[in-house]
Amino acid sequence: GGLNIPYVYNLENSNNAIKQSRVLTEKAVNSLYGSAQIAYKNYLFVELTGRNDWSSTLPQENNSFFYPSISAGLVYSDLLNLSKEAEKIFSFGKIRASIAAVGNDTDPYRLIPTYYIDTNDVYDTLANITDIIPLKNLKPEQMVSKEIGTDMRFFQNRIGLDVTYYITNTYNQIVDIDISSTSGSRKAIINTGDIQNKGLEIQLNGKPVKSEKFEWSFMLNYSKINSEVIKLAEGVSSYQLLEHWGLSIEARPGHPFGDIVGYGIQRDANGNKLVDANGYYLRTDSTIVLGNIHPDFTLSFSNSMRYKNISLNFLIDAKIGGELFAGTNMYGYGYSGNFT
């Protein structure tokens, strides 16, 4: 609340009475975990895990959740028993696959209405009820990931290629949604439906030059993710992640995750923008999807060079595609009198 002496940041230098607050939350989680590893002739490997959690932040009928995983890897270069000459060209080959589930609970005190103590200058001390409606049959979140990939190396590990494809589904995400204030509350806790991500990752690494004095190695990464909101909770047509400047970032069933939603510009049948008598663009009657925050794909290219005892490392990183809202342009139009 202000300082008596500028730039002296301590409690004794406060210009106003010091306000204090204290929050205590308690949560308990009990867990059981087990794992097993199996290897066959040094070229086939299988790993299994299983975990069960019991969380105090979930209702008694749903407070136990189990999430297992299984992964396998086959080193087919060893299985093929390649000759020494063949190994000089194809040094290593492995294929892998896995499926895994991960469970999650939530913060404490989200199952029944709770109170908090507040003090103000008018009414002194009050006990207020929280403005979030709890969910009595709250379920734990679950994320299920499926992955398949391969790792190949050539010319005695001078060139390497790693390719991975995965599908991830997230079920029963625990989120707060906005509700009408006429209910007496501001938000409600729900379990959402199913959000899916599909992705492809490719990594190419190499060592084109290797000598006693000079060495150069590089790594090229490509990543592409396609997301889709399969479904939300019953009766929920969209979930707002963020709202600012009259725009919102939303999750909508049948759309990619992270749509930018706001008013657009009216267009004619040929796609031309429409203006009014004053030359201003005509706004759409309702909000529409204007774009998506996620890039089409990402690229990165890292290099490492060494000459004797001197090393140089640099990285080029790029995100291609995706949309953003230019707040700078909005304020520029507004202050120049061209914004309505």
Side-chain angles (χ1 to χ4, degrees):
L3 300 171
N4 289 313
I5 303 172
Y7 309 114
V8 179
Y9 299 103
N10 60 53
L11 297 178
E12 291 79 7
N13 192 39
S14 174
N15 191 37
N16 300 319
I18 299 171
K19 282 192 171 184
Q20 303 177 63
S21 63
R22 181 173 182 266
V23 177
L24 173 65
T25 60
E26 294 181 317
K27 171 182 175 178
V29 178
N30 296 324
S31 302
L32 284 176
Y33 175 80
S35 66
Q37 295 177 326
I38 303 170
Y40 178 73
K41 291 189 176 180
N42 209 35
Y43 60 74
L44 178 62
F45 305 89
V46 178
E47 182 173 1
L48 301 98
T49 69
R51 173 170 171 160
N52 201 98
D53 285 354
W54 292 264
S55 174
S56 66
T57 66
L58 296 170
Q60 188 171 0
E61 61 271 19
N62 295 331
N63 70 355
S64 174
F65 49 100
F66 176 71
Y67 42 105
S69 74
I70 179 171
S71 61
L74 174 65
V75 183
Y76 55 86
S77 55
D78 289 348
L79 177 64
L80 296 174
N81 196 21
L82 301 173
S83 65
K84 295 294 184 181
E85 292 299 319
E87 286 183 349
K88 291 181 181 180
I89 300 174
F90 184 64
S91 309
F92 178 82
K94 178 181 178 181
I95 187 170
R96 61 184 182 274
S98 67
I99 180 170
V102 177
N104 191 30
D105 57 7
T106 185
D107 298 325
Y109 318 134
R110 310 196 78 187
L111 303 178
I112 58 174
T114 57
Y115 293 84
Y116 65 94
I117 303 298
D118 190 22
T119 303
N120 60 53
D121 297 334
V122 179
Y123 299 106
D124 199 26
T125 301
L126 294 173
N128 298 289
I129 193 169
T130 54
D131 57 357
I132 299 179
I133 298 177
L135 184 62
K136 291 185 177 181
N137 62 338
L138 193 66
K139 299 176 183 178
E141 298 178 347
Q142 186 180 52
M143 183 173 69
V144 179
S145 299
K146 304 168 188 175
E147 179 181 304
I148 186 169
T150 183
D151 180 9
M152 295 180 287
R153 301 170 200 170
F154 306 89
F155 305 109
Q156 297 179 324
N157 297 327
R158 294 287 289 273
I159 297 177
L161 178 66
D162 193 300
V163 181
T164 303
Y165 178 76
Y166 64 88
I167 301 175
T168 301
N169 287 76
T170 305
Y171 306 97
N172 296 326
Q173 279 187 305
I174 301 172
V175 298
D176 299 343
I177 62 168
D178 294 322
I179 59 175
S180 172
S181 58
T182 57
S183 65
S185 299
R186 182 174 54 91
K187 291 181 177 291
I189 300 171
I190 65 167
N191 285 117
T192 62
D194 179 7
I195 297 176
Q196 185 181 82
N197 287 316
K198 296 180 181 179
L200 175 67
E201 296 180 356
I202 301 175
Q203 182 184 96
L204 177 67
N205 59 78
K207 194 171 289 186
V209 181
K210 184 178 181 181
S211 64
E212 185 177 342
K213 293 184 178 180
F214 182 73
E215 184 176 296
W216 170 37
S217 60
F218 70 87
M219 182 178 293
L220 177 66
N221 282 287
Y222 168 88
S223 178
K224 180 178 177 62
I225 300 176
N226 293 321
S227 67
E228 182 183 0
V229 180
I230 307 296
K231 65 178 180 178
L232 295 175
E234 185 177 353
V236 179
S237 59
S238 67
Y239 172 62
Q240 189 177 89
L241 307 168
L242 177 69
E243 193 278 329
H244 193 51
W245 284 330
L247 294 173
S248 62
I249 309 297
E250 297 184 9
R252 293 185 166 196
H255 288 245
F257 186 83
D259 276 344
I260 303 173
V261 179
Y263 288 98
I265 299 173
Q266 292 187 28
R267 298 173 184 267
D268 62 17
N270 296 320
N272 300 310
K273 297 177 181 178
L274 300 179
V275 296
D276 61 15
N278 298 315
Y280 294 119
Y281 288 126
L282 292 173
R283 194 178 76 169
T284 55
D285 296 329
S286 58
T287 58
I288 60 173
V289 176
L290 302 172
N292 193 274
I293 62 176
H294 295 293
D296 297 330
F297 63 92
T298 62
L299 283 173
S300 67
F301 185 45
S302 62
N303 287 265
S304 178
M305 299 179 182
R306 179 189 61 81
Y307 177 73
K308 293 185 177 180
N309 294 325
I310 301 174
S311 298
L312 171 66
N313 297 277
F314 64 92
L315 171 68
I316 301 172
D317 188 66
K319 293 182 178 180
I320 312 299
E323 285 79 32
L324 57 83
F325 177 77
T328 305
N329 287 359
M330 183 194 72
Y331 281 117
Y333 279 113
Y335 289 126
S336 65
N338 295 322
F339 181 75
T340 57

